Amino acid sequence: MKIASIVSRYLLGLMFTVLGLNGFFHFIHQPPPANPVAIQFLVAVSESHFAAFFFAVQVLGGLLLLFGFFVPLALTLLAAELYNILAFHLTMAPGSIAPALVACVFWILVFLQYRESFKSIFSAKPATQA
């Protein structure tokens, strides 16, 4: 399981780093979605430069995973990214959800390796600092 987690960490890190950089430099051509609502959404996010924040977090999280530093922080940042990606695909472009599901599987495999770091957030009454 440890090897699967390490491989998943590198693949997830590579995936988010490359796709985050693609958001800035557009080196991977992607066809527009078929749904007109999805096109409106992507145009609004792009024209307002709101997408730059998503892409910056993707690059940061991806690089943290690739270098193995602050992996729990990277997982937390990328969980929010994955949520938004899944929400977009489930509601506006379900035909192209496969890569998002693969990224979720990678995320879960890495999370399982680092679950001790998240133990306190699942406590109903966490310990307080003195």
Side-chain angles (χ1 to χ4, degrees):
M1 182 67 174
K2 186 172 182 172
I3 293 173
S5 175
I6 292 169
V7 170
S8 295
R9 180 172 60 89
Y10 284 118
L11 289 174
L12 189 63
L14 186 64
M15 179 185 276
F16 274 105
T17 301
V18 169
L19 294 176
L21 288 172
N22 183 56
F24 291 113
F25 301 115
H26 309 290
F27 51 84
I28 301 172
H29 176 69
Q30 298 172 338
N35 185 345
V37 175
I39 294 171
Q40 286 179 328
F41 175 78
L42 292 174
V43 168
V45 169
S46 177
E47 292 292 322
S48 67
H49 302 289
F50 190 70
F53 292 101
F54 294 132
F55 297 132
V57 170
Q58 287 180 9
V59 171
L60 175 64
L63 289 174
L64 289 174
L65 287 179
L66 286 174
F67 292 114
F69 294 116
F70 302 105
V71 173
L73 173 63
L75 288 173
T76 303
L77 293 171
L78 295 179
E81 292 283 333
L82 281 171
Y83 172 81
N84 285 306
I85 291 168
L86 285 173
F88 170 80
H89 284 287
L90 286 171
T91 59
M92 293 183 247
S96 58
I97 197 169
L101 294 175
V102 170
C104 286
V105 170
F106 289 157
W107 187 94
I108 290 168
L109 289 172
V110 179
F111 173 82
L112 290 174
Q113 186 69 30
Y114 290 88
R115 66 183 171 268
E116 277 298 310
S117 299
F118 295 93
K119 186 170 65 171
S120 64
I121 68 168
F122 295 113
S123 300
K125 295 193 179 212
T128 59
Q129 296 291 326

